[in-house]
Structure formats: C-alpha cells, structure tokens
Amino acid sequence: MKNFDSDLSSVVRINIGKKFWTTTDTLTQREPDSMLAAMFSGRHTLCQDPHKGYVFVDRDGKHFRHILNWLRDGVVPTLEESEYTELLREAEYYQLLGLMDGIHAVLSKRKEDDEFHTELTRTDIIKCIQSDRVRFRGVNLSGLDLSKLDLSFVDFSYACLKNVFFSRANLQCAKFRDVDAEASIFHNATLRECEFTGANLRGALLAGACLQSANLQDACLVDSSFCGADLRSAHLQNADLTNANLEGAILEGANLKGAKLSNANLKGANLQRAYLRHVNLQNTHLEGARLDGANLLGAIR
C-alpha cells in the first residue's frame, strides 16, 4: 500500500510573492543541474517559515507557474514575446537550460514565420507604382509574384525580398541596397544600373538578366546563377561569388577587384577588358572564357 506520509513529506511549499505547492521530484528530476534542483536536493539549508513551512525565494513570482509546468510536463508555454523575455530571465536565474533552449527555439520559429508574412500583395504593388518616387524601403515582400511589372527606379533598400518572383520585370535603376533577396528569381529581368550594394542574393536566379553597369559591390552572390547574364561594366568589387554559375555570362569591362571566385563557373564567359588584378582564380572554372585585354596583374591562377 502506498505510504501517504511519505507522499506528504515530498511536498514543497514555496513563497515567491505568490504561494505554490509542488514536490521535490518536480523540482529535481527534469533539470537536475538547475539551481532549483540543488536548492531542494536536501544538501542546503533553506529559508523556511517555521510555522507554515513555506520556503521563501526572493524573486518575482509572475512566471513561476510556467516554470513549474515546464518541470512537470516539459512544454514551453505560449506567451507574448515580451513575456518570453521575462520568462527567459527567470530561466537563466534558476539555470533551467532546457527551458532556455525551448524558449530560444520558439522565438526563432516565430521570427522565421514572420519573415514570410508578406505586408503587401501584388495588387498593392501595382497601385503603388502608378505614383511617382515609389519606395518599399524595409518592407517585407517575401514570396510575392512581381513578374513582368515596370518597377524601374523603385527603391527596395533594406527590404525582405526572399523568394520574390521578378522574372522579366523592368527594374532599371531600382535600388536594392542591403536587401535580403535570398533565392529570389530575376530570370530575364532588366536590371540595368541597379544598385545591389551589400545585398544578400544567395541562391538567387539571375540567368539571362541584363545587369549592365549594375552595382553589386560587397554583395553576397554565393550559389547564385548568372548564366548568360549581361554584366558588362558591372561593379563586382568584393562581391562573394563562391559557387556562383556565370557560364556564358558577359562580363566585358566588369570590375571584379577583391571578388571571391572560389569554385565559380565562368566557362565560356566573356571577360574581355575585365579588371581581375590580384583576384584568386586558382579554383575558378575558366574553360573557354575570353580574357582578351583583361587586367590580370597579380592574379593567382
């Protein structure tokens, strides 16, 4: 038969501004390396009310019920972001590493979901571009289909443009400074004289695009595709073109000073009169590339 007295002896009363009842098993088993587990392990003398038996803990008790529920069930509660910040502070104090990891995972998932919560629709964009000096600076347009639209001179600086479909759009002189356009599609788009300074275009598709005199300085172009793209006189200083596919691209007169071209595919590309001084071409695929008149002084080949 179960010993009722032994069950009662494992009950713990805690006063933390609010009063809670729990058990030593709850406080010690899920997070055995926590401060709470150490406090109630029996190894330490606790500040206890001699009359009612409550252990006093000098903390704000607002979120302590969430901590107890975590220790009982291992489930992170659903809260507002500001409340998660408060709960995280308490979890850090009590050294509840599992709860801390759980909160960080929830917040990361929310951030990821928010990135794909588009603020405007294609119809909204069409209405906006009928006015002068259109700006979408810092706006989240992730996943929108903006193909075949006239978006010339539009300012997208600092916007989130992940997975946006810009195929065949007219984006001449548009500004994409510091945008996050990872995996976006610019297939056959007109991007003449566009500014992509510091932009993230990782995995973007720019095959067949016209990028004459475009500014791509300091841009992340890792794993992007520029097959057959027109990059004549483009500014690619310090751009990261690691694993990029530029097969058949026209880079005549382009400035690639400081560009990273590790494992980049430049087969059949036109690099006539391109600036490649001191660029490391050792792991770059240049079979069939035209290098007539290119400045290769100090280039590593």
Side-chain angles (χ1 to χ4, degrees), residues 105-160:
V106 169
L107 292 175
S108 296
K109 180 66 167 59
R110 281 192 181 180
K111 184 177 180 181
E112 191 176 294
D113 291 343
D114 287 344
E115 286 178 347
F116 287 93
H117 180 68
T118 306
E119 296 177 44
L120 297 171
T121 65
R122 179 182 172 91
T123 303
D124 294 330
I125 301 295
I126 292 170
K127 289 178 181 176
C128 289
I129 60 179
Q130 293 170 358
S131 61
D132 295 331
R133 297 188 65 183
V134 183
R135 293 183 180 182
F136 296 111
R137 293 170 69 92
V139 178
N140 187 348
L141 303 175
S142 300
L144 277 188
D145 179 2
L146 301 180
S147 60
K148 302 179 182 178
L149 294 181
D150 185 356
L151 298 164
S152 52
F153 297 93
V154 173
D155 189 350
F156 292 100
S157 297
Y158 314 107
C160 183

Short mmCIF file of all heavy atoms in Angstrom, two decimals, residues 105-160:
data_model
loop_
_atom_site.label_atom_id
_atom_site.label_comp_id
_atom_site.label_asym_id
_atom_site.label_seq_id
_atom_site.Cartn_x
_atom_site.Cartn_y
_atom_site.Cartn_z
N ALA A 105 14.12 28.34 -29.14
CA ALA A 105 13.58 27.63 -30.31
C ALA A 105 12.24 28.23 -30.74
O ALA A 105 11.98 28.42 -31.94
CB ALA A 105 13.42 26.15 -29.99
N VAL A 106 11.38 28.56 -29.77
CA VAL A 106 10.07 29.15 -30.09
C VAL A 106 10.27 30.52 -30.73
O VAL A 106 9.62 30.85 -31.74
CB VAL A 106 9.21 29.27 -28.81
CG1 VAL A 106 7.97 30.12 -29.07
CG2 VAL A 106 8.79 27.89 -28.33
N LEU A 107 11.16 31.34 -30.16
CA LEU A 107 11.38 32.69 -30.69
C LEU A 107 11.98 32.64 -32.09
O LEU A 107 11.62 33.43 -32.97
CB LEU A 107 12.29 33.48 -29.75
CG LEU A 107 11.68 33.84 -28.39
CD1 LEU A 107 12.71 34.52 -27.50
CD2 LEU A 107 10.47 34.76 -28.58
N SER A 108 12.88 31.69 -32.34
CA SER A 108 13.47 31.53 -33.68
C SER A 108 12.42 31.13 -34.69
O SER A 108 12.40 31.63 -35.82
CB SER A 108 14.60 30.49 -33.65
OG SER A 108 15.65 30.90 -32.84
N LYS A 109 11.52 30.23 -34.30
CA LYS A 109 10.45 29.79 -35.19
C LYS A 109 9.51 30.95 -35.51
O LYS A 109 9.09 31.13 -36.66
CB LYS A 109 9.67 28.65 -34.53
CG LYS A 109 8.51 28.09 -35.36
CD LYS A 109 9.01 27.41 -36.64
CE LYS A 109 7.93 26.58 -37.32
NZ LYS A 109 6.76 27.34 -37.72
N ARG A 110 9.19 31.77 -34.51
CA ARG A 110 8.33 32.92 -34.75
C ARG A 110 8.96 33.91 -35.72
O ARG A 110 8.31 34.44 -36.60
CB ARG A 110 8.03 33.64 -33.42
CG ARG A 110 6.96 32.97 -32.59
CD ARG A 110 6.51 33.87 -31.48
NE ARG A 110 5.50 33.23 -30.66
CZ ARG A 110 4.91 33.80 -29.61
NH1 ARG A 110 5.27 35.03 -29.27
NH2 ARG A 110 3.99 33.16 -28.92
N LYS A 111 10.28 34.14 -35.52
CA LYS A 111 10.99 35.07 -36.41
C LYS A 111 10.97 34.55 -37.84
O LYS A 111 10.77 35.30 -38.79
CB LYS A 111 12.43 35.25 -35.92
CG LYS A 111 13.21 36.27 -36.72
CD LYS A 111 14.61 36.46 -36.15
CE LYS A 111 15.39 37.48 -36.96
NZ LYS A 111 16.77 37.67 -36.45
N GLU A 112 11.18 33.25 -37.98
CA GLU A 112 11.17 32.62 -39.31
C GLU A 112 9.80 32.75 -39.96
O GLU A 112 9.68 33.08 -41.14
CB GLU A 112 11.55 31.15 -39.15
CG GLU A 112 11.83 30.43 -40.45
CD GLU A 112 12.28 29.00 -40.21
OE1 GLU A 112 13.36 28.82 -39.64
OE2 GLU A 112 11.54 28.08 -40.58
N ASP A 113 8.74 32.53 -39.18
CA ASP A 113 7.38 32.65 -39.71
C ASP A 113 7.06 34.10 -40.10
O ASP A 113 6.41 34.35 -41.10
CB ASP A 113 6.36 32.17 -38.68
CG ASP A 113 6.43 30.67 -38.46
OD1 ASP A 113 7.02 29.97 -39.31
OD2 ASP A 113 5.92 30.19 -37.43
N ASP A 114 7.55 35.05 -39.28
CA ASP A 114 7.28 36.47 -39.56
C ASP A 114 7.91 36.92 -40.86
O ASP A 114 7.38 37.77 -41.58
CB ASP A 114 7.80 37.34 -38.42
CG ASP A 114 6.95 37.23 -37.16
OD1 ASP A 114 5.80 36.72 -37.29
OD2 ASP A 114 7.42 37.63 -36.09
N GLU A 115 9.07 36.33 -41.18
CA GLU A 115 9.76 36.71 -42.41
C GLU A 115 8.94 36.39 -43.65
O GLU A 115 9.09 37.00 -44.70
CB GLU A 115 11.13 36.01 -42.49
CG GLU A 115 12.16 36.60 -41.54
CD GLU A 115 13.48 35.87 -41.59
OE1 GLU A 115 13.52 34.77 -42.17
OE2 GLU A 115 14.46 36.39 -41.05
N PHE A 116 8.06 35.40 -43.52
CA PHE A 116 7.25 35.01 -44.67
C PHE A 116 5.82 35.54 -44.57
O PHE A 116 4.94 35.11 -45.27
CB PHE A 116 7.24 33.47 -44.80
CG PHE A 116 8.56 32.95 -45.31
CD1 PHE A 116 9.54 32.55 -44.41
CD2 PHE A 116 8.84 32.90 -46.66
CE1 PHE A 116 10.77 32.09 -44.87
CE2 PHE A 116 10.06 32.46 -47.13
CZ PHE A 116 11.02 32.04 -46.23
N HIS A 117 5.62 36.49 -43.65
CA HIS A 117 4.32 37.14 -43.55
C HIS A 117 4.39 38.43 -44.37
O HIS A 117 4.84 39.46 -43.92
CB HIS A 117 3.98 37.45 -42.10
CG HIS A 117 2.65 38.12 -41.94
ND1 HIS A 117 1.46 37.47 -42.19
CD2 HIS A 117 2.33 39.39 -41.59
CE1 HIS A 117 0.46 38.31 -41.98
NE2 HIS A 117 0.96 39.48 -41.63
N THR A 118 3.95 38.37 -45.61
CA THR A 118 4.09 39.48 -46.53
C THR A 118 3.18 40.64 -46.15
O THR A 118 2.03 40.45 -45.81
CB THR A 118 3.75 39.02 -47.96
OG1 THR A 118 4.55 37.88 -48.26
CG2 THR A 118 4.03 40.10 -48.97
N GLU A 119 3.74 41.84 -46.22
CA GLU A 119 2.98 43.02 -45.82
C GLU A 119 2.09 43.56 -46.93
O GLU A 119 1.09 44.22 -46.65
CB GLU A 119 3.95 44.11 -45.36
CG GLU A 119 4.75 43.71 -44.11
CD GLU A 119 5.76 44.76 -43.71
OE1 GLU A 119 5.40 45.94 -43.70
OE2 GLU A 119 6.90 44.40 -43.40
N LEU A 120 2.45 43.30 -48.20
CA LEU A 120 1.68 43.83 -49.33
C LEU A 120 1.41 42.71 -50.34
O LEU A 120 2.07 41.69 -50.36
CB LEU A 120 2.46 44.96 -50.02
CG LEU A 120 2.74 46.21 -49.16
CD1 LEU A 120 3.69 47.14 -49.91
CD2 LEU A 120 1.45 46.96 -48.83
N THR A 121 0.43 42.93 -51.20
CA THR A 121 0.10 41.98 -52.26
C THR A 121 0.57 42.53 -53.61
O THR A 121 0.95 43.70 -53.71
CB THR A 121 -1.42 41.74 -52.34
OG1 THR A 121 -2.06 42.98 -52.73
CG2 THR A 121 -1.97 41.30 -50.97
N ARG A 122 0.49 41.70 -54.64
CA ARG A 122 0.84 42.16 -55.99
C ARG A 122 -0.05 43.34 -56.40
O ARG A 122 0.41 44.31 -56.97
CB ARG A 122 0.70 41.00 -56.97
CG ARG A 122 1.02 41.37 -58.42
CD ARG A 122 0.81 40.19 -59.36
NE ARG A 122 0.92 40.58 -60.76
CZ ARG A 122 2.04 40.55 -61.46
NH1 ARG A 122 3.17 40.16 -60.89
NH2 ARG A 122 2.07 40.91 -62.73
N THR A 123 -1.32 43.26 -56.06
CA THR A 123 -2.26 44.34 -56.40
C THR A 123 -1.85 45.64 -55.71
O THR A 123 -1.89 46.73 -56.32
CB THR A 123 -3.69 43.96 -55.97
OG1 THR A 123 -4.03 42.73 -56.61
CG2 THR A 123 -4.68 45.04 -56.37
N ASP A 124 -1.43 45.54 -54.44
CA ASP A 124 -0.96 46.74 -53.72
C ASP A 124 0.23 47.36 -54.43
O ASP A 124 0.32 48.59 -54.56
CB ASP A 124 -0.56 46.38 -52.28
CG ASP A 124 -1.74 45.94 -51.43
OD1 ASP A 124 -2.87 46.41 -51.69
OD2 ASP A 124 -1.53 45.12 -50.52
N ILE A 125 1.14 46.50 -54.88
CA ILE A 125 2.35 46.99 -55.57
C ILE A 125 1.97 47.71 -56.85
O ILE A 125 2.48 48.79 -57.16
CB ILE A 125 3.32 45.83 -55.88
CG1 ILE A 125 3.74 45.10 -54.59
CG2 ILE A 125 4.53 46.34 -56.64
CD1 ILE A 125 4.55 45.92 -53.63
N ILE A 126 1.06 47.12 -57.62
CA ILE A 126 0.63 47.73 -58.89
C ILE A 126 0.03 49.10 -58.65
O ILE A 126 0.28 50.06 -59.40
CB ILE A 126 -0.37 46.80 -59.63
CG1 ILE A 126 0.36 45.53 -60.11
CG2 ILE A 126 -1.02 47.51 -60.81
CD1 ILE A 126 -0.55 44.45 -60.63
N LYS A 127 -0.78 49.22 -57.60
CA LYS A 127 -1.37 50.53 -57.28
C LYS A 127 -0.30 51.54 -56.91
O LYS A 127 -0.36 52.71 -57.31
CB LYS A 127 -2.36 50.38 -56.12
CG LYS A 127 -3.65 49.65 -56.50
CD LYS A 127 -4.55 49.50 -55.28
CE LYS A 127 -5.84 48.74 -55.64
NZ LYS A 127 -6.68 48.50 -54.45
N CYS A 128 0.70 51.08 -56.15
CA CYS A 128 1.75 51.99 -55.68
C CYS A 128 2.61 52.52 -56.82
O CYS A 128 2.99 53.69 -56.83
CB CYS A 128 2.63 51.29 -54.66
SG CYS A 128 1.84 51.00 -53.07
N ILE A 129 2.94 51.65 -57.79
CA ILE A 129 3.88 52.06 -58.83
C ILE A 129 3.27 53.02 -59.84
O ILE A 129 3.96 53.52 -60.73
CB ILE A 129 4.48 50.83 -59.57
CG1 ILE A 129 3.38 50.01 -60.25
CG2 ILE A 129 5.30 49.99 -58.62
CD1 ILE A 129 3.92 48.81 -61.02
N GLN A 130 1.99 53.29 -59.70
CA GLN A 130 1.36 54.29 -60.57
C GLN A 130 1.65 55.71 -60.11
O GLN A 130 1.39 56.67 -60.81
CB GLN A 130 -0.16 54.05 -60.62
CG GLN A 130 -0.52 52.73 -61.31
CD GLN A 130 -1.98 52.37 -61.16
OE1 GLN A 130 -2.74 53.07 -60.51
NE2 GLN A 130 -2.37 51.25 -61.76
N SER A 131 2.21 55.83 -58.89
CA SER A 131 2.59 57.15 -58.39
C SER A 131 4.09 57.36 -58.60
O SER A 131 4.82 56.45 -58.96
CB SER A 131 2.24 57.27 -56.91
OG SER A 131 2.94 56.30 -56.17
N ASP A 132 4.55 58.58 -58.36
CA ASP A 132 5.96 58.90 -58.55
C ASP A 132 6.77 58.53 -57.31
O ASP A 132 6.25 58.49 -56.19
CB ASP A 132 6.14 60.40 -58.82
CG ASP A 132 5.50 60.81 -60.16
OD1 ASP A 132 5.45 59.95 -61.06
OD2 ASP A 132 5.05 61.97 -60.27
N ARG A 133 8.05 58.30 -57.51
CA ARG A 133 9.03 58.05 -56.45
C ARG A 133 8.54 56.99 -55.46
O ARG A 133 8.30 57.25 -54.28
CB ARG A 133 9.34 59.35 -55.71
CG ARG A 133 9.99 60.42 -56.59
CD ARG A 133 10.43 61.59 -55.77
NE ARG A 133 11.50 61.21 -54.84
CZ ARG A 133 12.04 62.05 -53.94
NH1 ARG A 133 11.59 63.28 -53.85
NH2 ARG A 133 13.00 61.64 -53.15
N VAL A 134 8.35 55.79 -55.96
CA VAL A 134 7.86 54.69 -55.14
C VAL A 134 8.98 54.13 -54.27
O VAL A 134 10.09 53.90 -54.73
CB VAL A 134 7.28 53.55 -56.03
CG1 VAL A 134 6.69 52.45 -55.16
CG2 VAL A 134 6.22 54.12 -56.95
N ARG A 135 8.65 53.91 -53.00
CA ARG A 135 9.63 53.35 -52.07
C ARG A 135 8.99 52.20 -51.29
O ARG A 135 7.89 52.33 -50.78
CB ARG A 135 10.11 54.41 -51.07
CG ARG A 135 10.93 55.52 -51.69
CD ARG A 135 11.42 56.47 -50.62
NE ARG A 135 12.20 57.56 -51.18
CZ ARG A 135 12.78 58.51 -50.46
NH1 ARG A 135 12.66 58.48 -49.13
NH2 ARG A 135 13.48 59.46 -51.02
N PHE A 136 9.75 51.10 -51.22
CA PHE A 136 9.35 49.97 -50.38
C PHE A 136 10.51 49.65 -49.43
O PHE A 136 10.82 48.51 -49.16
CB PHE A 136 9.02 48.75 -51.24
CG PHE A 136 7.82 48.95 -52.14
CD1 PHE A 136 7.99 49.02 -53.51
CD2 PHE A 136 6.55 49.09 -51.60
CE1 PHE A 136 6.89 49.22 -54.34
CE2 PHE A 136 5.45 49.28 -52.43
CZ PHE A 136 5.62 49.35 -53.80
N ARG A 137 11.13 50.70 -48.90
CA ARG A 137 12.30 50.54 -48.03
C ARG A 137 11.92 49.80 -46.75
O ARG A 137 11.02 50.20 -46.02
CB ARG A 137 12.89 51.91 -47.69
CG ARG A 137 13.50 52.63 -48.88
CD ARG A 137 13.84 54.07 -48.53
NE ARG A 137 14.92 54.17 -47.57
CZ ARG A 137 16.21 54.30 -47.88
NH1 ARG A 137 16.58 54.30 -49.15
NH2 ARG A 137 17.12 54.42 -46.96
N GLY A 138 12.62 48.69 -46.52
CA GLY A 138 12.42 47.93 -45.29
C GLY A 138 11.14 47.13 -45.23
O GLY A 138 10.83 46.53 -44.20
N VAL A 139 10.38 47.06 -46.31
CA VAL A 139 9.10 46.35 -46.33
C VAL A 139 9.33 44.86 -46.58
O VAL A 139 10.24 44.46 -47.31
CB VAL A 139 8.16 46.94 -47.42
CG1 VAL A 139 6.84 46.18 -47.48
CG2 VAL A 139 7.91 48.41 -47.14
N ASN A 140 8.50 44.01 -45.98
CA ASN A 140 8.59 42.57 -46.20
C ASN A 140 7.69 42.18 -47.37
O ASN A 140 6.46 42.24 -47.26
CB ASN A 140 8.15 41.83 -44.93
CG ASN A 140 8.38 40.33 -45.03
OD1 ASN A 140 8.66 39.80 -46.10
ND2 ASN A 140 8.26 39.63 -43.92
N LEU A 141 8.31 41.80 -48.48
CA LEU A 141 7.57 41.39 -49.68
C LEU A 141 7.85 39.93 -50.03
O LEU A 141 7.63 39.51 -51.16
CB LEU A 141 7.95 42.29 -50.87
CG LEU A 141 7.74 43.80 -50.68
CD1 LEU A 141 8.28 44.57 -51.88
CD2 LEU A 141 6.27 44.13 -50.47
N SER A 142 8.29 39.17 -49.06
CA SER A 142 8.71 37.78 -49.30
C SER A 142 7.66 36.98 -50.04
O SER A 142 6.47 37.01 -49.70
CB SER A 142 9.00 37.08 -47.96
OG SER A 142 10.02 37.73 -47.27
N GLY A 143 8.11 36.27 -51.09
CA GLY A 143 7.25 35.32 -51.79
C GLY A 143 6.30 35.92 -52.80
O GLY A 143 5.55 35.18 -53.45
N LEU A 144 6.31 37.24 -52.99
CA LEU A 144 5.37 37.86 -53.94
C LEU A 144 5.74 37.57 -55.39
O LEU A 144 6.91 37.40 -55.74
CB LEU A 144 5.34 39.38 -53.76
CG LEU A 144 4.48 39.96 -52.65
CD1 LEU A 144 4.44 41.47 -52.77
CD2 LEU A 144 3.06 39.42 -52.71
N ASP A 145 4.74 37.53 -56.25
CA ASP A 145 4.95 37.42 -57.70
C ASP A 145 4.90 38.83 -58.28
O ASP A 145 3.82 39.42 -58.42
CB ASP A 145 3.86 36.54 -58.33
CG ASP A 145 4.02 36.41 -59.84
OD1 ASP A 145 4.99 36.99 -60.39
OD2 ASP A 145 3.17 35.76 -60.47
N LEU A 146 6.06 39.38 -58.60
CA LEU A 146 6.15 40.73 -59.19
C LEU A 146 6.70 40.64 -60.62
O LEU A 146 7.29 41.60 -61.12
CB LEU A 146 7.05 41.62 -58.32
CG LEU A 146 6.61 41.80 -56.86
CD1 LEU A 146 7.59 42.69 -56.10
CD2 LEU A 146 5.20 42.39 -56.78
N SER A 147 6.47 39.51 -61.25
CA SER A 147 6.98 39.31 -62.60
C SER A 147 6.30 40.24 -63.60
O SER A 147 5.13 40.61 -63.45
CB SER A 147 6.75 37.85 -63.03
OG SER A 147 5.37 37.54 -63.02
N LYS A 148 7.08 40.65 -64.60
CA LYS A 148 6.62 41.43 -65.76
C LYS A 148 6.10 42.83 -65.41
O LYS A 148 5.49 43.48 -66.26
CB LYS A 148 5.52 40.65 -66.53
CG LYS A 148 5.99 39.28 -67.02
CD LYS A 148 4.89 38.55 -67.75
CE LYS A 148 5.34 37.17 -68.18
NZ LYS A 148 4.28 36.39 -68.86
N LEU A 149 6.32 43.30 -64.18
CA LEU A 149 5.88 44.65 -63.81
C LEU A 149 6.97 45.67 -64.14
O LEU A 149 8.16 45.36 -64.19
CB LEU A 149 5.58 44.72 -62.32
CG LEU A 149 4.41 43.89 -61.80
CD1 LEU A 149 4.24 44.09 -60.30
CD2 LEU A 149 3.11 44.25 -62.53
N ASP A 150 6.55 46.91 -64.37
CA ASP A 150 7.50 48.00 -64.56
C ASP A 150 7.82 48.59 -63.19
O ASP A 150 7.04 49.35 -62.62
CB ASP A 150 6.91 49.08 -65.46
CG ASP A 150 7.94 50.19 -65.78
OD1 ASP A 150 9.06 50.13 -65.22
OD2 ASP A 150 7.60 51.10 -66.55
N LEU A 151 8.96 48.19 -62.64
CA LEU A 151 9.39 48.62 -61.31
C LEU A 151 10.66 49.46 -61.40
O LEU A 151 11.44 49.53 -60.45
CB LEU A 151 9.62 47.39 -60.43
CG LEU A 151 8.39 46.51 -60.18
CD1 LEU A 151 8.80 45.14 -59.65
CD2 LEU A 151 7.43 47.18 -59.22
N SER A 152 10.84 50.10 -62.53
CA SER A 152 12.04 50.92 -62.73
C SER A 152 12.06 52.07 -61.72
O SER A 152 11.03 52.64 -61.39
CB SER A 152 12.08 51.46 -64.16
OG SER A 152 10.87 52.12 -64.50
N PHE A 153 13.25 52.35 -61.21
CA PHE A 153 13.52 53.43 -60.26
C PHE A 153 12.88 53.22 -58.87
O PHE A 153 12.94 54.11 -58.02
CB PHE A 153 13.07 54.79 -60.83
CG PHE A 153 13.81 55.19 -62.07
CD1 PHE A 153 13.29 54.89 -63.33
CD2 PHE A 153 15.03 55.85 -62.00
CE1 PHE A 153 13.98 55.25 -64.48
CE2 PHE A 153 15.72 56.21 -63.15
CZ PHE A 153 15.20 55.90 -64.39
N VAL A 154 12.28 52.08 -58.62
CA VAL A 154 11.69 51.82 -57.31
C VAL A 154 12.80 51.56 -56.28
O VAL A 154 13.79 50.89 -56.58
CB VAL A 154 10.72 50.61 -57.37
CG1 VAL A 154 10.23 50.23 -55.96
CG2 VAL A 154 9.52 50.94 -58.25
N ASP A 155 12.60 52.06 -55.06
CA ASP A 155 13.59 51.88 -54.00
C ASP A 155 13.14 50.76 -53.07
O ASP A 155 12.19 50.90 -52.29
CB ASP A 155 13.72 53.19 -53.22
CG ASP A 155 14.89 53.17 -52.23
OD1 ASP A 155 15.46 52.08 -52.03
OD2 ASP A 155 15.21 54.23 -51.67
N PHE A 156 13.85 49.60 -53.15
CA PHE A 156 13.56 48.43 -52.30
C PHE A 156 14.59 48.31 -51.17
O PHE A 156 14.62 47.28 -50.49
CB PHE A 156 13.63 47.14 -53.13
CG PHE A 156 12.54 46.98 -54.16
CD1 PHE A 156 12.79 47.27 -55.49
CD2 PHE A 156 11.30 46.50 -53.79
CE1 PHE A 156 11.80 47.09 -56.45
CE2 PHE A 156 10.30 46.31 -54.75
CZ PHE A 156 10.55 46.61 -56.08
N SER A 157 15.41 49.32 -50.95
CA SER A 157 16.51 49.20 -50.00
C SER A 157 16.05 48.67 -48.64
O SER A 157 15.00 49.06 -48.13
CB SER A 157 17.18 50.57 -49.80
OG SER A 157 17.74 51.03 -51.01
N TYR A 158 16.84 47.75 -48.10
CA TYR A 158 16.64 47.15 -46.77
C TYR A 158 15.39 46.26 -46.67
O TYR A 158 15.03 45.82 -45.58
CB TYR A 158 16.58 48.24 -45.68
CG TYR A 158 17.66 49.27 -45.81
CD1 TYR A 158 17.37 50.57 -46.25
CD2 TYR A 158 19.00 48.95 -45.54
CE1 TYR A 158 18.38 51.51 -46.41
CE2 TYR A 158 20.00 49.89 -45.69
CZ TYR A 158 19.69 51.17 -46.13
OH TYR A 158 20.69 52.10 -46.29
N ALA A 159 14.73 46.02 -47.78
CA ALA A 159 13.52 45.19 -47.76
C ALA A 159 13.85 43.71 -47.67
O ALA A 159 14.96 43.28 -47.98
CB ALA A 159 12.68 45.46 -49.02
N CYS A 160 12.86 42.92 -47.23
CA CYS A 160 12.98 41.46 -47.24
C CYS A 160 12.31 40.95 -48.51
O CYS A 160 11.09 41.08 -48.66
CB CYS A 160 12.33 40.86 -46.00
SG CYS A 160 12.53 39.06 -45.92
#
